[in-house]
Amino acid sequence: MRIGELAERAGTTTRTLRYYESRGLLPARRNAQGHRTYDEGDLRLLRQIRTLQDFGFGLEETRPFVECLRAGHAEGDLCPASLLVYRRKLAELDTLIGELTAVRAQVGAQLARAERERAALAAEASVPGGPEPGCELGGRR
């Protein structure tokens, strides 16, 4: 198949395919007329790359999976190098989850503090001579 058909079937652009070719992820085969030609195996490579990128893998992180497919394996993650990339990505995700959990705790603490302060202001406002509500939440002017 030609580059346009491959791009369409893979849900990408010809520009992206040329970029992958320049990075050595997609083979650069040409027919007698000089047109790029691709086969179903190339479509499998592209689908593997796209799936991994959807999961947050960088383009270079997809290389071991592509090489595993090119080596004739049914799946791109059956090779030791691919498993190593999975392990690294899981460690990276665990770190990010930890960081996000810490940020979530800080935001939760700020919310709790703000709600306590708002409740105290609302209580003051209900006392004669208390502060006037200055916003829709009942803050001071």
Side-chain angles (χ1 to χ4, degrees), residues 49 55 59 91 102 114 134:
I49 292 169
F55 291 159
L59 189 57

Side-chain angles (χ1 to χ4, degrees), residues 3-129:
I3 192 167
E5 181 183 352
L6 179 64
E8 184 178 324
R9 289 183 63 191
T12 191
T13 65
T14 57
R15 182 178 180 186
T16 298
L17 298 183
R18 287 185 198 101
Y19 178 70
Y20 290 171
E21 181 183 310
S22 75
R23 303 290 304 198
L25 292 169
L26 194 60
R29 293 184 304 269
R30 297 194 181 257
N31 65 15
Q33 293 81 27
H35 298 289
R36 290 174 172 88
T37 60
Y38 302 96
D39 59 25
E40 293 298 319
D42 299 322
L43 182 59
R44 267 185 50 219
L45 292 176
L46 286 172
R47 287 183 175 151
Q48 178 77 77
I49 292 169
R50 300 259 338 232
T51 298
L52 291 168
Q53 286 188 310
D54 288 347
F55 291 159
F57 287 69
L59 189 57
E60 278 307 307
E61 290 175 309
T62 69
R63 188 173 299 281
F65 298 86
V66 168
E67 290 171 357
C68 192
L69 285 171
R70 281 190 185 156
H73 295 279
E75 299 292 333
D77 58 5
L78 297 178
C79 297
S82 302
L83 298 175
L84 181 62
V85 173
Y86 273 156
R87 286 186 195 99
R88 280 191 209 136
K89 183 55 75 176
L90 282 175
E92 179 184 316
L93 290 170
D94 288 341
T95 298
L96 289 172
I97 289 168
E99 292 169 0
L100 287 172
T101 299
V103 169
R104 187 187 189 290
Q106 291 173 344
V107 171
Q110 287 293 95
L111 173 62
R113 180 208 45 82
E115 287 177 332
R116 285 191 306 272
E117 192 171 312
R118 182 193 177 281
L121 288 172
E124 286 179 29
S126 66
V127 175

